[in-house]
Amino acid sequence: MARKFYITTPIFYVNDLLHIGHAYCTIACDVVARFKRWAGYEVLFLTGTDEHGQKIAQAASLKGKTPQEWADYIVAQDKKLWERLNISHDDFIRTTEDRHERTVQAIFTRLYKKGDIYKGEYEGWYCTSCETFYLESQLNEGRCPECGKPAEKLKEESYFFRLSKYQKRLLDYFEQNPEFMQPGFRKAEMVNFVKEGLKDLSVSRTAVKWGIPVPFDDKHTVYVWFDALINYLTACGYLGDKAKFEKFWPADVHVVGKEIFKFHTVIWPAMLMALEIPLPREVFGHGWWTVEGEKMSKSRGNVVDPLEVCEEFGVDAFRYFLMSEVPFGQDGDFSKKALVRRYNSDLANNLGNLLSRSLTMVEKYLEGKVPEPEGREDEDKDLIEKAEGLYQMVLKFYDRLELNGVLGTIWQTVDYANRYIEKTAPWKLEKADRKRLKTVLYNLLETLRLVALHILPFMPQTAERIWEQLGLEEKIYAQKIEDARWGRLKPGKKIKIGKPLFPRINPDL
Ligand code: ME8
């Protein structure tokens, strides 16, 4: 039976259009999902939208729409964006779907019957924008510590989830599962937070109408975070499709931004413990992007639209930039200048040049046909070792979601192949040693084939273009791990030189 891999992005709010931060997280998950599929896993890659709550209702009313109309509009835009960015999700969940509402209500009732949800009264400071209650001591001069907007004092009847009951079990779990929170440097803060003592969590609202009704008390709607986290269960068939659930749960990794790490490493695990369901294997908290050194925000007017970046530089250059620029887990800074720099050095000068130089020589010296190699010299061996070893090398990086490490490894090979051209100087071999010329050019083409396979998860279109230019007829998507072995390129086939992959961009423009 194929091994399974279940990976999720956060479900994004539908109050507004998505920006590069959302695209970043989703592209990273897409890269991993694509790699896992290639490695033979049966993958469930989930993304979707978080549609309930006051924040969405307010955004809709500002536009003169009902929340549902507004959500439908944003969802259509989100889906278009994912298509443009070549996101290969297997499912897109909306929290307004029946399958989800049913699951949330069933869970709420179950936990109520079990005594893990009870009725009480809530008094606290509430930030509508972040849908979160705060203690007075957490506010900054009456303002929300997250978004800076004024918090309101609220007192209401509320259902509570008995989070406090799970404090010890959570701490034990963290200790026994050191891999659960990634990257590791995020762990201490969560452990301390739990150690300081957990308060029961208010999980219903009477003031919010746009939400899933509490099934046995329709004055209340379910708190949006309690509703949202459950999406990961709904989508893999919990209470609906037993076979699917048994296959895919527990999730292998929830990839989330660092600001919602706590919801995923404390509240979510406690909910699962209450439901007596195994916990996800890993929660990965990635870093945040600023833009030219500043926090991205509507009021600053510096929100970067991923569609515009793709229009200007191409989808693959955008994907490459986001994945290579910062170690996954760290914060990053987006600027066109940095993108152009990386585009020119890594994509145009390094990868693009390697392809065009290699193909041009094959065309010029060998009538455009893939040659037959003969013999191996030391410099060949080095190149072959690097190219053939790629799969084993990148595996380790993928395991830790060090996606820039994967790219760094592939680019070492690309770099080495360019140096191999300088060392072997095929233009001198043309007259002097045809046999050697053929071997050298074969090695370059074969290296490019392996590089194409390895960049496929990151830059699907580019990988396909390289594949076509190498004259390979079988589909790149049909390739298996075995095809990453050296020597599978068949001599005799015609190459098909195409347009340059990445024409240089003038950095001064
Ligand atoms: O929090 N840099 O949704 P959301 C990097 N609905 N990533 C960023 C980013 C930035 N500047 N801005 C946003 C929610 N993100 C909830 C989640 S899950 C059960 C519910 C990414 O629309 C990052 O992944 O505010 C972050 O966690 C997510 O978008 C938040 O999206």
Side-chain angles (χ1 to χ4, degrees):
M1 207 178 72
R3 287 169 300 171
K4 70 88 187 177
F5 188 75
Y6 181 22
I7 181 166
T8 66
T9 69
I11 48 171
F12 302 114
Y13 287 128
V14 292
N15 57 320
D16 211 338
L17 294 172
L18 301 175
H19 57 61
I20 54 162
H22 308 105
Y24 175 58
C25 177
T26 309
I27 290 170
C29 291
D30 184 57
V31 169
V32 179
R34 284 171 179 269
F35 177 75
K36 289 285 180 182
R37 288 190 198 108
W38 182 42
Y41 287 76
E42 192 173 342
V43 172
L44 176 56
F45 167 22
L46 175 69
T47 189
T49 42
D50 190 352
E51 305 189 7
H52 293 123
Q54 199 63 7
K55 181 153 89 174
I56 313 299
Q58 273 168 359
S61 95
L62 277 175
K63 304 279 174 190
K65 303 260 189 246
T66 66
Q68 189 67 57
E69 283 167 350
W70 181 247
D72 290 348
Y73 165 73
I74 293 286
V75 166
Q77 307 309 308
D78 290 0
K79 286 187 173 170
K80 266 193 224 155
L81 175 64
W82 297 151
E83 202 179 320
R84 174 81 171 109
L85 295 182
N86 277 321
I87 302 300
S88 66
H89 51 281
D90 301 291
D91 196 355
F92 186 106
I93 188 165
R94 302 182 55 178
T95 53
T96 49
E97 285 171 297
D98 280 351
R99 60 170 170 164
H100 182 66
E101 301 201 353
R102 270 199 311 273
T103 314
V104 171
Q105 292 193 325
I107 288 176
F108 205 95
T109 306
R110 189 154 163 181
L111 295 185
Y112 181 66
K113 285 194 178 146
K114 200 183 161 202
D116 272 348
I117 287 182
Y118 63 91
K119 200 176 193 173
E121 196 170 63
Y122 194 86
E123 189 177 26
W125 292 91
Y126 188 67
C127 172
T128 322
S129 186
C130 301
E131 310 266 6
T132 309
F133 273 102
Y134 294 101
L135 299 173
E136 189 150 13
S137 59
Q138 290 175 302
L139 302 180
N140 295 328
E141 294 170 5
R143 287 172 178 273
C144 168
E146 286 296 329
C147 72
K149 297 203 179 112
E152 303 163 49
K153 190 154 198 187
L154 279 189
K155 184 172 179 177
E156 59 176 18
E157 178 186 288
S158 175
Y159 286 91
F160 285 84
F161 170 56
R162 236 178 256 287
L163 185 60
S164 57
K165 175 174 157 192
Y166 293 95
Q167 176 172 359
K168 166 128 189 7
R169 275 183 65 189
L170 283 170
L171 289 171
D172 290 346
Y173 189 84
F174 296 161
E175 200 173 310
Q176 285 153 17
N177 297 274
E179 306 292 308
F180 176 62
M181 289 187 242
Q182 295 296 330
F185 66 81
R186 298 207 186 281
K187 186 171 165 183
E189 191 189 334
M190 299 301 124
V191 172
N192 287 339
F193 172 75
V194 177
K195 273 192 182 151
E196 276 168 20
L198 293 175
K199 288 221 175 74
D200 291 349
L201 178 74
S202 160
V203 289
S204 78
R205 300 284 182 268
T206 50
V208 178
K209 296 294 165 232
W210 177 239
I212 301 177
V214 168
F216 44 85
D217 187 349
D218 62 11
K219 272 208 315 285
H220 291 256
T221 57
V222 177
Y223 169 49
V224 63
W225 265 102
F226 191 85
D227 159 356
L229 287 162
I230 290 172
N231 91 86
Y232 304 127
L233 285 179
T234 307
C236 78
Y238 181 63
L239 303 180
D241 181 342
K242 197 159 177 268
K244 188 173 184 185
F245 183 69
E246 278 171 9
K247 182 190 279 175
F248 286 109
W249 193 261
D252 292 272
V253 57
H254 294 310
V255 178
V256 302
K258 62 181 182 180
E259 84 293 359
I260 56 174
F261 197 59
K262 201 180 281 168
F263 284 100
H264 285 81
T265 55
V266 178
I267 296 172
W268 179 227
M271 286 166 65
L272 292 167
M273 283 173 178
L275 289 167
E276 294 161 49
I277 301 175
L279 305 198
R281 289 186 216 292
E282 179 181 329
V283 179
F284 190 99
H286 69 73
W288 266 51
W289 285 85
T290 49
V291 173
E292 315 228 350
E294 294 209 39
K295 198 173 163 181
M296 221 184 321
S297 77
K298 260 203 148 165
S299 51
R300 283 205 180 89
N302 65 348
V303 177
V304 180
D305 176 0
L307 288 174
E308 273 173 26
V309 184
C310 291
E311 203 48 47
E312 196 169 348
F313 301 99
V315 175
D316 280 0
F318 178 56
R319 290 175 61 116
Y320 178 80
F321 176 75
L322 293 181
M323 293 299 104
S324 61
E325 182 71 358
V326 282
F328 200 47
Q330 308 284 343
D331 295 337
D333 186 51
F334 185 90
S335 69
K336 277 199 184 164
K337 215 166 159 189
L339 198 159
V340 169
R341 205 181 313 124
R342 221 161 237 290
Y343 176 105
N344 279 338
S345 73
D346 300 2
L347 300 179
N349 293 353
N350 219 344
L351 178 64
N353 241 344
L354 177 64
L355 182 75
S356 73
R357 288 165 94 191
S358 305
L359 294 182
T360 310
M361 290 189 288
V362 172
E363 190 67 43
K364 195 161 150 202
Y365 306 142
L366 304 172
E367 293 154 351
K369 284 208 189 103
V370 177
E372 182 100 44
E374 233 181 283
R376 255 180 213 187
E377 300 199 358
D378 281 348
E379 56 203 8
D380 304 340
K381 284 185 195 148
D382 287 346
L383 178 68
I384 294 169
E385 214 170 85
K386 280 211 157 51
E388 190 170 41
L390 269 178
Y391 183 70
Q392 284 308 324
M393 295 272 287
V394 300
L395 259 187
K396 280 185 270 167
F397 287 110
Y398 273 115
D399 277 349
R400 298 191 297 260
L401 296 193
E402 286 180 26
L403 301 177
N404 73 321
V406 175
L407 286 175
T409 308
I410 303 170
W411 254 257
Q412 275 171 16
T413 304
V414 173
D415 212 36
Y416 192 83
N418 269 318
R419 277 188 277 136
Y420 176 82
I421 299 183
E422 301 307 322
K423 263 197 257 171
T424 53
W427 47 92
K428 288 192 193 147
L429 296 172
E430 196 216 339
K431 298 240 156 50
D433 189 348
R434 294 280 298 175
K435 198 174 98 184
R436 181 85 192 117
L437 173 74
K438 287 183 182 169
T439 305
V440 165
L441 291 184
Y442 179 88
N443 290 345
L444 285 168
L445 296 180
E446 179 60 345
T447 299
L448 278 158
R449 188 185 68 87
L450 293 175
V451 165
L453 282 175
H454 282 281
I455 63 172
L456 185 64
F458 292 86
M459 299 196 283
Q461 289 175 354
T462 305
E464 273 189 278
R465 288 174 66 197
I466 298 177
W467 201 253
E468 279 161 18
Q469 297 203 28
L470 291 172
L472 291 160
E473 279 151 8
E474 60 277 28
K475 286 267 165 276
I476 191 168
Y477 286 106
Q479 301 295 298
K480 303 261 175 340
I481 287 301
E482 301 82 77
D483 296 302
R485 236 179 268 144
W486 183 267
R488 298 230 157 175
L489 181 67
K490 290 199 196 71
K493 285 259 153 44
K494 278 283 274 175
I495 57 156
K496 289 189 197 136
I497 296 190
K499 286 198 193 121
L501 295 179
F502 298 100
R504 259 187 81 82
I505 297 174
N506 181 348
D508 303 324
L509 289 182

